[in-house]
Short mmCIF file of all heavy atoms in Angstrom, two decimals:
data_model
loop_
_atom_site.label_atom_id
_atom_site.label_comp_id
_atom_site.label_asym_id
_atom_site.label_seq_id
_atom_site.Cartn_x
_atom_site.Cartn_y
_atom_site.Cartn_z
N SER A 1385 156.06 29.33 17.11
CA SER A 1385 155.88 27.90 16.90
C SER A 1385 154.58 27.61 16.15
O SER A 1385 153.53 27.49 16.75
CB SER A 1385 155.89 27.15 18.22
OG SER A 1385 155.69 25.77 17.97
N VAL A 1386 154.69 27.49 14.83
CA VAL A 1386 153.53 27.20 13.99
C VAL A 1386 152.92 25.86 14.40
O VAL A 1386 151.70 25.73 14.49
CB VAL A 1386 153.92 27.19 12.50
CG1 VAL A 1386 152.79 26.66 11.63
CG2 VAL A 1386 154.34 28.58 12.05
N VAL A 1387 153.75 24.88 14.69
CA VAL A 1387 153.26 23.54 15.05
C VAL A 1387 152.39 23.60 16.29
O VAL A 1387 151.28 23.05 16.32
CB VAL A 1387 154.43 22.55 15.24
CG1 VAL A 1387 153.95 21.23 15.81
CG2 VAL A 1387 155.16 22.32 13.92
N TRP A 1388 152.86 24.29 17.35
CA TRP A 1388 152.08 24.36 18.58
C TRP A 1388 150.80 25.15 18.39
O TRP A 1388 149.78 24.83 19.01
CB TRP A 1388 152.91 24.93 19.73
CG TRP A 1388 153.84 23.90 20.30
CD1 TRP A 1388 155.19 23.91 20.25
CD2 TRP A 1388 153.47 22.69 20.96
NE1 TRP A 1388 155.70 22.78 20.84
CE2 TRP A 1388 154.66 22.01 21.30
CE3 TRP A 1388 152.25 22.11 21.31
CZ2 TRP A 1388 154.66 20.79 21.97
CZ3 TRP A 1388 152.26 20.88 21.97
CH2 TRP A 1388 153.45 20.25 22.30
N VAL A 1389 150.82 26.16 17.54
CA VAL A 1389 149.60 26.91 17.25
C VAL A 1389 148.59 26.01 16.55
O VAL A 1389 147.41 25.96 16.93
CB VAL A 1389 149.89 28.18 16.41
CG1 VAL A 1389 148.61 28.77 15.86
CG2 VAL A 1389 150.63 29.21 17.25
N VAL A 1390 149.03 25.27 15.54
CA VAL A 1390 148.12 24.39 14.80
C VAL A 1390 147.60 23.27 15.70
O VAL A 1390 146.40 22.95 15.67
CB VAL A 1390 148.80 23.83 13.53
CG1 VAL A 1390 147.94 22.76 12.87
CG2 VAL A 1390 149.09 24.96 12.55
N VAL A 1391 148.46 22.71 16.53
CA VAL A 1391 148.01 21.69 17.48
C VAL A 1391 146.98 22.29 18.44
O VAL A 1391 145.94 21.69 18.72
CB VAL A 1391 149.20 21.07 18.25
CG1 VAL A 1391 148.73 20.19 19.41
CG2 VAL A 1391 150.08 20.26 17.31
N GLY A 1392 147.26 23.49 18.92
CA GLY A 1392 146.33 24.17 19.84
C GLY A 1392 145.00 24.51 19.19
O GLY A 1392 143.94 24.27 19.78
N THR A 1393 145.04 25.07 17.98
CA THR A 1393 143.78 25.44 17.33
C THR A 1393 142.98 24.19 16.95
O THR A 1393 141.75 24.20 17.04
CB THR A 1393 144.01 26.31 16.07
OG1 THR A 1393 144.80 25.62 15.12
CG2 THR A 1393 144.64 27.65 16.44
N THR A 1394 143.67 23.13 16.59
CA THR A 1394 142.98 21.87 16.29
C THR A 1394 142.33 21.30 17.55
O THR A 1394 141.16 20.88 17.52
CB THR A 1394 143.96 20.85 15.67
OG1 THR A 1394 144.50 21.40 14.46
CG2 THR A 1394 143.26 19.54 15.35
N LEU A 1395 143.06 21.31 18.65
CA LEU A 1395 142.48 20.85 19.91
C LEU A 1395 141.29 21.72 20.30
O LEU A 1395 140.26 21.21 20.75
CB LEU A 1395 143.53 20.85 21.03
CG LEU A 1395 143.04 20.42 22.42
CD1 LEU A 1395 142.47 19.00 22.39
CD2 LEU A 1395 144.15 20.55 23.45
N GLY A 1396 141.42 23.03 20.12
CA GLY A 1396 140.30 23.93 20.42
C GLY A 1396 139.06 23.59 19.60
O GLY A 1396 137.93 23.59 20.12
N MET A 1397 139.26 23.31 18.30
CA MET A 1397 138.13 22.91 17.44
C MET A 1397 137.51 21.62 17.95
O MET A 1397 136.28 21.48 17.97
CB MET A 1397 138.60 22.72 16.00
CG MET A 1397 138.90 24.00 15.27
SD MET A 1397 137.43 24.92 14.83
CE MET A 1397 136.83 23.95 13.47
N MET A 1398 138.34 20.67 18.33
CA MET A 1398 137.81 19.39 18.80
C MET A 1398 137.08 19.56 20.14
O MET A 1398 136.02 18.96 20.34
CB MET A 1398 138.94 18.36 18.92
CG MET A 1398 139.68 18.08 17.61
SD MET A 1398 138.60 17.69 16.21
CE MET A 1398 138.00 16.08 16.70
N LEU A 1399 137.62 20.38 21.03
CA LEU A 1399 136.95 20.61 22.32
C LEU A 1399 135.57 21.24 22.13
O LEU A 1399 134.64 20.96 22.89
CB LEU A 1399 137.81 21.52 23.21
CG LEU A 1399 139.08 20.90 23.78
CD1 LEU A 1399 139.92 21.97 24.49
CD2 LEU A 1399 138.73 19.77 24.75
N ALA A 1400 135.44 22.08 21.13
CA ALA A 1400 134.16 22.75 20.88
C ALA A 1400 133.19 21.86 20.11
O ALA A 1400 131.98 21.95 20.31
CB ALA A 1400 134.39 24.05 20.12
N ASN A 1401 133.68 21.02 19.21
CA ASN A 1401 132.80 20.29 18.31
C ASN A 1401 132.47 18.86 18.74
O ASN A 1401 131.38 18.38 18.45
CB ASN A 1401 133.38 20.29 16.90
CG ASN A 1401 133.26 21.65 16.27
OD1 ASN A 1401 132.17 22.19 16.15
ND2 ASN A 1401 134.38 22.23 15.88
N VAL A 1402 133.38 18.17 19.39
CA VAL A 1402 133.12 16.78 19.77
C VAL A 1402 131.91 16.67 20.71
O VAL A 1402 131.04 15.83 20.48
CB VAL A 1402 134.38 16.11 20.36
CG1 VAL A 1402 134.05 14.77 21.01
CG2 VAL A 1402 135.43 15.93 19.27
N PRO A 1403 131.81 17.52 21.74
CA PRO A 1403 130.61 17.41 22.59
C PRO A 1403 129.31 17.64 21.80
O PRO A 1403 128.30 17.00 22.09
CB PRO A 1403 130.81 18.51 23.64
CG PRO A 1403 132.27 18.73 23.68
CD PRO A 1403 132.76 18.49 22.28
N VAL A 1404 129.36 18.52 20.82
CA VAL A 1404 128.17 18.79 20.00
C VAL A 1404 127.76 17.54 19.24
O VAL A 1404 126.57 17.24 19.12
CB VAL A 1404 128.42 19.97 19.03
CG1 VAL A 1404 127.31 20.10 18.02
CG2 VAL A 1404 128.58 21.26 19.82
#
Side-chain angles (χ1 to χ4, degrees):
S1385 179
V1386 170
V1387 171
W1388 282 113
V1389 167
V1390 172
V1391 170
T1393 60
T1394 300
L1395 178 60
M1397 287 287 285
M1398 300 309 290
L1399 288 173
N1401 288 302
V1402 169
V1404 170

